[in-house]
Amino acid sequence: MNALTWEQRERVIALLDAASGDPGIRAVVVTATGKGFCAGADLRSGSATGERVAGDVARMIRLGAQRLITAVLDCEKPVIAAVNGTAAGIGAHLALACDLVIASDTARFIEVFVRRGLVPDGAGAYLLPRLIGPQKAKELMFFGDAVPAAEAARLGLVNKVVPADALEAAAREWAERLAQGPTRALALTKQLVNASLDADRTTALAAEATAQEVNMTTADANEGVASFMERRTPKYLGR
């Protein structure tokens, strides 16, 4: 069920970081194989011997689950989650941190922490209220019930639900559309939307103006304006 190990987490973080810095990469898809997308953290691999020192758990969460979610949120390319099965705990938060979420009709999302007597981590209490509001977020986190894909779409956790055998094609279609877009403009748009959830109006509008100023220095912005004036389809190069 793809329980997340330390090695897997570090590899995903490294790949997302590499995607940000590689102009040849213009969209990212996060998906999995088998019956599950990610069943949560692999608790067995995290068992440690010896005395636990105050601060150890907070440090582990900060450098582990939170780094993973932050890597998705801060990736400078649009990130699509293609959720092929159960997404539980940090697996659910990994999917929900992505910019767009396509789910198989067999997918489920589970805030599993309460079932283990744990507090949600991996930015769950940050992400979920911003997607569906605080009261519905509390319901999912308090009870830990599985949310089927269709219900997740109704709540606003998922952009689109497709048959299981169409998931890869649907994710590829969206990724290819994004890869043909103005990559830097998309990155700046992503930053603006994410930051706006925590900013006041004055700060948000100032950030918007600055982003547009930066974006107007890109080749794609010039191409977009020129193609409009020349009444032709733009050809964006991601630069």
Side-chain angles (χ1 to χ4, degrees):
M1 296 291 285
N2 296 311
L4 189 67
T5 65
W6 183 92
E7 292 83 2
Q8 290 167 328
R9 183 193 71 217
E10 293 303 308
R11 174 137 177 83
V12 171
I13 291 172
L15 287 169
L16 289 165
D17 183 62
S20 288
D22 186 344
I25 296 174
R26 298 174 64 186
V28 174
V29 176
V30 177
T31 192
T33 57
K35 295 188 297 182
F37 176 75
C38 175
D42 185 354
L43 299 180
R44 293 168 301 178
S45 68
S47 59
T49 58
E51 182 182 359
R52 177 180 292 169
V53 177
D56 280 354
V57 173
R59 186 182 311 105
M60 178 183 68
I61 297 299
R62 187 174 66 252
L63 298 179
Q66 291 177 354
R67 276 182 58 242
L68 174 63
I69 300 305
T70 299
V72 178
L73 294 172
D74 291 346
C75 182
E76 295 179 28
K77 306 296 165 65
V79 183
I80 299 170
V83 184
N84 57 297
T86 298
I90 187 62
H93 300 166
L94 173 60
L96 300 180
C98 294
D99 302 305
L100 299 169
V101 183
I102 303 175
S104 158
D105 55 8
T106 61
R108 303 184 304 160
F109 298 81
I110 311 173
E111 287 296 323
V112 75
F113 298 92
V114 69
R115 299 187 186 182
R116 312 287 182 259
L118 301 174
V119 172
D121 61 35
Y126 175 85
L127 293 168
L128 221 60
R130 286 164 170 76
L131 290 168
I132 59 175
Q135 286 172 308
K136 195 64 182 181
K138 290 173 190 173
E139 178 187 332
L140 298 187
M141 290 180 165
F142 286 0
F143 294 115
D145 294 333
V147 180
E151 175 68 3
R154 189 187 70 79
L155 291 174
L157 294 173
V158 169
N159 294 92
K160 181 162 63 172
V161 178
V162 298
D165 60 2
L167 180 65
E168 182 178 350
R172 181 172 294 278
E173 178 190 0
W174 273 16
E176 289 177 351
R177 288 182 63 188
L178 290 168
Q180 293 169 12
T183 307
R184 294 310 304 163
L186 293 176
L188 291 165
T189 301
K190 173 176 178 172
Q191 292 171 12
L192 284 175
V193 173
N194 288 348
S196 74
L197 300 173
D198 302 309
D200 58 69
R201 183 179 65 183
T202 300
T203 302
L205 294 184
E208 174 186 271
T210 300
Q212 193 69 290
E213 175 78 23
V214 171
N215 187 63
M216 288 305 296
T217 66
T218 67
D220 280 349
N222 291 328
E223 166 64 8
V225 173
S227 65
F228 173 75
M229 299 297 291
E230 297 165 10
R231 298 187 178 185
R232 59 176 174 80
T233 301
K235 295 181 180 179
Y236 296 122
L237 301 176
R239 291 170 170 79

